[in-house]
Amino acid sequence: MKQVRLLLLRHGECEGGAILRGRVDVPLSEKGWQQMSAAVEAQASTCSAIYSSTSRRCGEFAQAFAAELHSTAALISESRPLQAQFLSGLQEIDFGDWDGCRLDELYQQEGERLAAYWQNPWQTPPPNGETMASFESRVNGAIDQILAAEFERLTVDSDSAEQAAGELAAKVWVVTHGGVIRHLMARALGVERAVGFYSQLDLPVAAVVSINVLQDEHGVCYWRLDWPSGRCE
């Protein structure tokens, strides 16, 4: 049995105030950098890879985090250079005409439609935005790509003396967005198209959610949401 532990890190506070952030590309605020730094420091530092959304609020931190870990050699395999790997599939949903708009103005102008979207985004997509079916398919493709790469890496590494002495396990960071993490939590729990489910998941900025994915000898994967994500190691 092989295991990949996904540490899903939501970006911290951003510049721009209370706006709806989907594809709008805004940087982290100074406080946001501090929030994310504190979040990763609370976890064991060793990892085998770092993946990130291409958005600035995720990618800039992921790049700096990878450089910091590489400089301290906090790697499962010190012979392998650690660099942040960017995947567009890990981006937040595209809110279309709403993207980048102030939330207070949106609620004033389109409060009823916005409320309907939060309640059932599969039925009420944002105007000229990405459908939930497209978003979920995109995110699933990105995370399956990550898992395939990491399980293949474990297979290759399994012949080494280091891996032979222990279990076949990898830990990877995925720096991404609230919508992406909520979908992956739902996937781990086997929840599909549940009305109101996403809006009931409280996920603050710089939150860390851990999901363990186990793969048996037949290549079948089993997802387990590690709740709560904090644990002593």
Side-chain angles (χ1 to χ4, degrees):
M1 187 77 75
K2 293 177 286 190
Q3 174 179 304
V4 173
R5 183 181 179 195
L6 302 171
L7 289 172
L8 310 173
L9 172 63
R10 188 185 180 192
H11 63 78
E13 179 188 270
C14 301
E15 299 286 357
I19 62 174
L20 189 58
R21 294 179 180 83
R23 294 300 179 85
V24 60
D25 206 10
V26 293
L28 291 170
S29 65
E30 182 178 349
K31 182 178 180 180
W33 276 90
Q34 295 170 350
Q35 291 168 333
M36 295 181 78
S37 296
V40 298
E41 287 174 5
Q43 301 286 331
S45 58
T46 56
C47 71
S48 59
I50 297 174
Y51 296 88
S52 175
S53 161
T54 53
S55 298
R56 289 184 64 188
R57 57 192 184 273
C58 297
E60 291 177 351
F61 179 84
Q63 200 163 25
F65 182 38
E68 179 183 355
L69 287 186
H70 186 70
S71 67
T72 58
L75 312 176
I76 289 176
S77 174
E78 295 184 11
S79 63
R80 184 187 304 126
L82 181 62
Q83 295 180 332
Q85 301 177 60
F86 299 99
L87 298 176
S88 60
L90 294 174
Q91 286 187 319
E92 184 60 280
I93 194 168
D94 184 348
F95 289 111
D97 295 346
W98 294 344
D99 219 302
C101 295
R102 289 185 55 87
L103 285 168
D104 57 354
E105 295 177 356
L106 274 177
Y107 277 109
Q108 289 177 4
Q109 298 168 5
E110 299 196 57
E112 186 174 336
R113 183 168 182 177
L114 193 60
Y117 172 75
W118 295 134
Q119 179 65 15
N120 190 346
W122 296 274
Q123 182 175 311
T124 310
N128 297 312
E130 188 174 15
T131 66
M132 281 297 289
S134 176
F135 168 70
E136 292 177 334
S137 176
R138 166 169 64 80
V139 173
N140 285 337
I143 212 70
D144 289 345
Q145 178 183 342
I146 291 171
L147 290 171
E150 294 306 314
F151 281 125
E152 175 63 23
R153 182 177 297 171
L154 286 175
T155 300
V156 171
D157 288 349
S158 63
D159 293 331
S160 70
E162 178 184 352
Q163 288 291 345
E167 61 180 2
L168 294 175
K171 182 168 69 174
V172 301
W173 283 94
V174 180
V175 187
T176 185
H177 308 268
V180 173
I181 297 175
R182 287 183 174 91
H183 169 63
L184 295 175
M185 292 173 71
R187 179 174 171 180
L189 294 170
V191 177
E192 296 183 9
R193 297 175 64 93
V195 174
F197 183 78
Y198 278 26
S199 61
Q200 296 302 313
L201 296 176
D202 184 19
L203 198 67
V205 292
V208 178
V209 173
S210 177
I211 293 176
N212 289 315
V213 183
L214 306 175
Q215 187 184 72
D216 65 20
E217 62 273 17
H218 303 294
V220 178
C221 290
Y222 306 89
W223 287 47
R224 184 178 67 191
L225 182 60
D226 187 8
W227 199 315
S229 60
R231 63 167 62 181
C232 296
E233 297 192 1

